[in-house]
Amino acid sequence: MAAQENALNDPIIMCEDVHKWFDDFHVLKGITTSFQKGERAVICGPSGSGKSTFIRTLNRLEEHQRGTIIIDGVELTDDLRNINLIRQEVGMVFQQFNLFPHLTNLENITLGPIRVRKLTKTEAEEVALSLLERVDIADQAYKYPAEISGGQQQRVAIARALAMEPKIMLFDEPTSALDPEMISEVLDVMRELAHSGMTMLVVTHEMGFAREVADRIMFFDEGVVIEEAAPADFFDNPQHERTKLFISQTLQH
Amino acid sequence: MEEQELTQEIKPPVSTKGPGRWLKDNLFNTWYNTLLTCLALVFLFFAFKGFLTWAFTEAEWGVIPANFRLFMVGSYPQEQIWRVWTVIYILSVLMGLSAGLWGGLVLRFAVVLSGVWFISALLPFGFELSTRGWCLGAIAMIAVSFFLGRDRTGLRSWILGGWILSFPVIMGVLRGFGENGVLTSRWGGLLLTLILAISGIVVSFPLGVFLALCRQSRLPVIRWVSTTYIEMVRGVPLITILFMGNVLIPIFMPGFDINQVLRMILCLIFFSAAYMAENVRGGLQGVPRGQHEAAQAVGLNYVQTTLFIVLPQALRSVIPAIVGQFIALFKDTSLVSVIGLIDLLGVARSILANQDWLGLQAEVYLFVAFIYFVFCYAMSYASQDIETDLGVGKH
């Protein structure tokens, strides 16, 4: 609750009428919203609803064609300097982990700090090792991504994003590619991160995680946000028919 | 107790197949396989008998030592031969240092090379005393620099710089200055072949990578220029390019005295770079989209993403194709004889045209083929070793 109060004066992400097309396909049809510093938002919705595309516009992996996105006071435009500034402040975790297979886990984490933040190798390794400690896989530092499990890879990916000391973390279905046994170890790390006060936008189907951690749940369908509410309201008192259907279907199993 | 039994390690069953069993299973398992095996053995016996009888009784191998200098350096003047040895010594020092620093593949090559020098120095025929001295000197160079470079990891970037710098230095030493030097028209034999091949390989590789990146560029002009270049070069036979280069390069660059060797090097580079570019492009396309995205998300810019993420993955997946191109280029250098340069193969032909050595085609061409094979196999061996080192297919 505290986060929401101070949030009102302090939006770290502001989106105004964001549109995006893939050729003729209108993926995002005018998203207007803002996120406060320290807010934990969970984004859900059926596949193809534009939820992944939306968070990918926030660090310019997808370009929005209309509207404005302002992140920590910097507007996202074609200006490469702005894009690079924003990417340093926004960490991202992918569904398929996307670790660099030719580098060890440690090198995966130190690459950004060394090349972008210009830390020395020793400094970067110190940071990386403490992050690996934090996600509980310090013993895997010198292995290659292919040599560890999916859950461990995703935790390395989270550590890699955190090593850039981002102000915002985007999660694009971080547990969808994992075996059921490994989902909880990744969610534990994300839970810990949420409690540390990180601003988090999480696209996920893990409704238990959403209910427990989120300050706000946004429901996407066909490129628009059709409902957003605090978890209690969202699950117990959904307003929209589409939302009701979605909740009944996802909570069935 | 029960738990212990459960966790007891069970070893895989031991394979009991010895060589005798293998022979029986694969070569003599049915009556017609037995028949085929016997027929093949008879055929191999006669084929090899013929060859071995020829090689040990009829063949006049004397043509090789008698013309050894020609094979190695063509008509490079005797009194300037110290230039070639100087180059060999420069390379020996670099190789020794690298072997000490990196070990592994370089060390193995250094050992083999020292072995070759050693045998050359002790051969009961052929070389003059001074040559034998030079050979032993080369071993000493490799050995001393090996111990100097041993485990001094701080030197690594210096040595890499040294290899790059050695290239122009070597050319300078071989050529010398003006009239006192050795005109490139007198470079020949294996020396010329190596100069053509190494210059071609060393320059066409980065050029090929650059062209491949350009062909993937988002800027249409760059993409078109690169694509046009690649397609045009690939559509013309190398021999045509060599002929054209010999005539056209002096016309395009008036005022510069570009000798024939340099012209041929340029042609080989232009030609090989186009093929290299397509090989590299294959690798670039194999790097998943997610890798670019992850690199961007960490904040790497285009150049950093390309250097640290995309190229390392792209190149290692196409090592066989790239080395295949290196090997092809090495053998293609033999085409420079069409404009009158006397490379290794050219030397062979000029020796065979000499009255003293008429009719010795088999001996001479076998020897030349052997030399080509040694170098090409070394490249192939190196590529397999590098692949294992980089863990291709493993991570």
Side-chain angles (χ1 to χ4, degrees):
Chain A
M1 287 303 116
Q4 266 175 344
E5 266 170 48
N6 92 52
L8 289 173
N9 342 326
D10 201 7
I12 192 166
I13 302 175
M14 286 201 291
C15 300
E16 182 74 41
D17 193 32
V18 173
H19 287 260
K20 164 84 190 164
W21 286 262
F22 286 128
D23 295 324
D24 285 340
F25 180 52
H26 201 170
V27 205
L28 298 179
K29 301 173 181 165
I31 309 290
T32 301
T33 186
S34 64
F35 300 90
Q36 317 303 331
K37 208 169 252 178
E39 183 172 356
R40 280 106 38 171
V42 163
I43 300 171
C44 57
S47 58
S49 59
K51 55 194 192 305
S52 282
T53 308
F54 172 64
I55 67 166
R56 287 161 58 88
T57 57
L58 298 181
N59 68 345
R60 200 59 162 197
L61 291 184
E62 303 291 354
E63 192 180 334
H64 60 287
Q65 285 124 324
R66 232 173 75 191
T68 40
I69 298 174
I70 298 174
I71 292 179
D72 203 23
V74 182
E75 187 178 353
L76 259 180
T77 57
D78 285 332
D79 189 337
L80 278 177
R81 276 166 310 172
N82 282 0
I83 294 176
N84 285 337
L85 261 179
I86 285 168
R87 280 179 178 160
Q88 286 178 43
E89 305 216 330
V90 181
M92 184 153 196
V93 175
F94 300 87
Q95 181 177 358
Q96 301 293 341
F97 330 136
N98 294 353
L99 291 178
F100 307 127
H102 60 300
L103 302 177
T104 63
N105 295 325
L106 188 71
E107 288 165 339
N108 263 278
I109 302 173
T110 56
L111 183 68
I114 292 174
R115 300 296 167 185
V116 183
R117 290 177 56 208
K118 308 291 178 199
L119 299 188
T120 65
K121 199 176 165 219
T122 336
E123 289 167 344
E125 282 180 354
E126 215 169 286
V127 173
L129 284 171
S130 72
L131 281 169
L132 281 172
E133 195 82 48
R134 186 171 165 192
V135 298
D136 208 20
I137 38 172
D139 50 332
Q140 312 289 349
Y142 299 97
K143 288 191 182 165
Y144 286 90
E147 295 167 338
I148 60 177
S149 74
Q152 293 174 325
Q153 288 188 48
Q154 193 60 298
R155 286 186 278 157
V156 172
I158 293 173
R160 175 176 69 182
L162 290 176
M164 294 302 292
E165 299 191 346
K167 293 183 179 160
I168 302 161
M169 284 283 283
L170 307 175
F171 293 83
D172 188 2
E173 303 202 26
T175 57
S176 301
L178 292 174
D179 290 343
E181 282 182 314
M182 294 166 182
I183 291 177
S184 65
E185 64 186 53
V186 171
L187 290 182
D188 283 344
V189 170
M190 291 168 63
R191 221 171 264 134
E192 187 269 325
L193 192 60
H195 292 311
S196 76
M198 174 68 74
T199 310
M200 288 165 70
L201 272 64
V202 185
V203 174
T204 187
H205 300 297
E206 294 295 330
M207 288 304 129
F209 174 81
R211 190 192 277 272
E212 184 191 332
V213 172
D215 297 314
R216 166 164 55 141
I217 298 182
M218 304 174 77
F219 185 76
F220 269 64
D221 191 33
E222 296 187 352
V224 286
V225 182
I226 58 175
E227 184 156 356
E228 52 184 319
D233 289 337
F234 182 83
F235 287 111
D236 302 335
N237 188 19
Q239 301 299 310
H240 204 281
E241 280 308 313
R242 188 71 189 83
T243 321
K244 285 177 190 164
L245 182 68
F246 180 82
I247 290 171
S248 70
Q249 280 171 346
T250 43
L251 292 187
Q252 256 167 22
H253 47 259
Chain B
M1 275 328 255
E2 225 176 62
E3 247 175 54
Q4 211 171 9
E5 264 170 39
L6 276 175
T7 54
Q8 211 170 32
E9 270 184 45
I10 303 174
K11 295 218 168 86
V14 183
S15 158
T16 49
K17 285 192 179 180
R21 182 66 192 275
W22 184 90
L23 281 175
K24 207 176 167 202
D25 281 356
N26 292 282
L27 298 177
F28 299 100
N29 52 346
T30 55
W31 67 267
Y32 48 88
N33 262 357
T34 310
L35 184 67
L36 278 177
T37 305
C38 292
L39 283 176
L41 283 175
V42 170
F43 172 78
L44 284 175
F45 173 75
F46 281 107
F48 270 96
K49 187 176 166 235
F51 175 75
L52 291 175
T53 322
W54 171 81
F56 285 107
T57 60
E58 291 166 39
E60 294 181 39
W61 292 112
V63 65
I64 308 299
N67 293 294
F68 200 75
R69 173 192 304 285
L70 277 176
F71 279 118
M72 292 300 116
V73 295
S75 55
Y76 204 92
Q78 166 87 65
E79 67 280 6
Q80 302 266 23
I81 207 75
W82 60 269
R83 293 180 180 279
V84 178
W85 284 107
T86 310
V87 166
I88 290 173
Y89 279 21
I90 294 174
L91 293 174
S92 297
V93 168
L94 282 170
M95 189 164 205
L97 287 170
S98 308
L101 284 169
W102 280 281
L105 181 66
V106 202
L107 180 55
R108 264 172 278 155
F109 275 141
V111 170
V112 171
L113 199 61
S114 306
V116 171
W117 292 132
F118 189 67
I119 293 169
S120 312
L122 295 187
L123 272 185
F125 53 83
F127 303 122
E128 292 157 27
L129 209 56
S130 63
T131 312
R132 293 169 195 273
W134 284 111
C135 290
L136 291 176
I139 302 178
M141 286 288 173
I142 295 178
V144 168
S145 44
F146 169 74
F147 286 109
L148 280 178
R150 211 160 178 194
D151 297 326
R152 297 216 182 133
T153 30
L155 281 176
R156 283 190 175 178
S157 42
W158 288 98
I159 301 301
L160 282 179
W163 278 107
I164 295 169
L165 200 68
S166 72
F167 194 64
V169 171
I170 284 170
M171 292 301 209
V173 172
L174 283 176
R175 172 65 184 83
F177 292 103
E179 293 300 304
N180 298 325
V182 181
L183 291 173
T184 53
S185 55
R186 300 199 63 182
W187 297 7
L190 181 62
L191 174 71
L192 179 61
T193 297
L194 286 176
I195 287 172
L196 292 169
I198 294 173
S199 326
I201 287 170
V202 168
V203 183
S204 73
F205 176 62
L207 187 59
V209 171
F210 178 72
L211 282 169
L213 290 171
C214 288
R215 196 168 180 174
Q216 304 244 307
S217 168
R218 266 182 294 174
L219 303 172
V221 178
I222 293 179
R223 202 168 56 230
W224 291 334
V225 169
S226 164
T227 308
T228 312
Y229 173 84
I230 291 169
E231 295 307 335
M232 276 175 55
V233 171
R234 291 205 308 165
V236 180
L238 175 56
I239 206 161
T240 317
I241 293 181
L242 296 179
F243 275 128
M244 288 198 307
N246 193 32
V247 181
L248 290 182
I249 291 176
I251 298 176
F252 277 120
M253 306 186 78
F256 291 93
D257 178 28
I258 298 183
N259 60 56
Q260 280 195 310
V261 172
L262 196 51
R263 283 180 227 165
M264 291 303 99
I265 290 177
L266 289 174
C267 291
L268 287 168
I269 290 170
F270 289 148
F271 179 78
S272 185
Y275 283 87
M276 203 66 75
E278 286 299 276
N279 289 338
V280 173
R281 191 165 68 97
L284 291 175
Q285 286 174 339
V287 178
R289 180 98 204 93
Q291 292 291 311
H292 296 261
E293 290 180 352
Q296 288 169 350
V298 180
L300 300 181
N301 59 33
Y302 172 79
V303 175
Q304 290 169 329
T305 304
T306 306
L307 275 184
F308 303 124
I309 305 301
V310 178
L311 278 182
Q313 293 184 56
L315 292 181
R316 76 174 188 167
S317 67
V318 290
I319 289 173
I322 290 175
V323 175
Q325 181 56 33
F326 287 169
I327 290 175
L329 176 67
F330 191 92
K331 294 181 294 185
D332 284 346
T333 57
S334 57
L335 287 173
V336 297
S337 58
V338 296
I339 63 144
L341 291 181
I342 317 279
D343 70 319
L344 184 58
L345 192 64
V347 166
R349 288 203 297 203
S350 64
I351 290 170
L352 290 171
N354 184 326
Q355 278 199 336
D356 298 343
W357 312 108
L358 282 181
L360 297 181
Q361 280 90 341
E363 291 85 346
V364 168
Y365 283 132
L366 264 177
F367 177 67
V368 168
F370 175 72
I371 294 185
Y372 276 114
F373 170 78
V374 165
F375 283 95
C376 293
Y377 181 72
M379 284 192 268
S380 175
Y381 176 82
S383 91
Q384 288 167 32
D385 197 82
I386 291 168
E387 277 192 64
T388 322
D389 247 29
L390 295 178
V392 176
K394 281 206 231 144
H395 51 248

